[in-house]
Amino acid sequence: MVDLRKEWKDRIDLQLAALIHGDIVLDAGNSIASRVAQDGGVLGAFFYRNADLCAKIEKMFRLAVEHDLDLDFHVDEGLDIEADGFR
């Protein structure tokens, strides 16, 4: 995707976003954020009934600050009424 973004840079702005499952943020978040920063992307995650949700969201914000990244949160994945990471 990085090569494709370079190839098309004069025709389209292709934004790369790592959309990771909220459950891996605490374990692999730092290495993922490091790679996203290297590639000039956006750090994204989707949260859906994740245990320790507050800790994982806080970790995402810390990673974004540490790596100077924008965030892309998906908090309402699915059609289930309980799919609400916004609260």
Side-chain angles (χ1 to χ4, degrees), residues 26-74:
L26 298 178
D27 294 330
N30 194 53
S31 61
I32 293 169
S34 180
R35 178 58 192 258
V36 170
Q38 174 186 327
D39 292 340
V42 175
L43 184 60
F46 59 95
F47 296 100
Y48 175 74
R49 294 193 217 172
N50 300 90
D52 301 320
L53 183 61
C54 289
K56 292 171 184 171
I57 291 174
E58 287 178 21
K59 176 70 173 188
M60 288 292 291
F61 277 94
R62 279 196 305 274
L63 290 169
V65 169
E66 290 170 11
H67 296 274
D68 193 28
L69 295 168
D70 289 335
L71 290 172
D72 177 21
F73 281 166
H74 292 240

Side-chain angles (χ1 to χ4, degrees), residues 4-6 10-11 14 16-17 22 24-25 27-30 33 42 51-52 58-59 61-62 76 78-79 81:
L4 186 62
R5 180 178 59 194
K6 288 176 187 174
D10 294 328
R11 295 173 273 180
L14 183 59
L16 306 180
I24 68 169
V25 169
D27 294 330
N30 194 53
V42 175
D52 301 320
E58 287 178 21
K59 176 70 173 188
F61 277 94
R62 279 196 305 274
D76 58 353
L79 298 175
I81 192 74

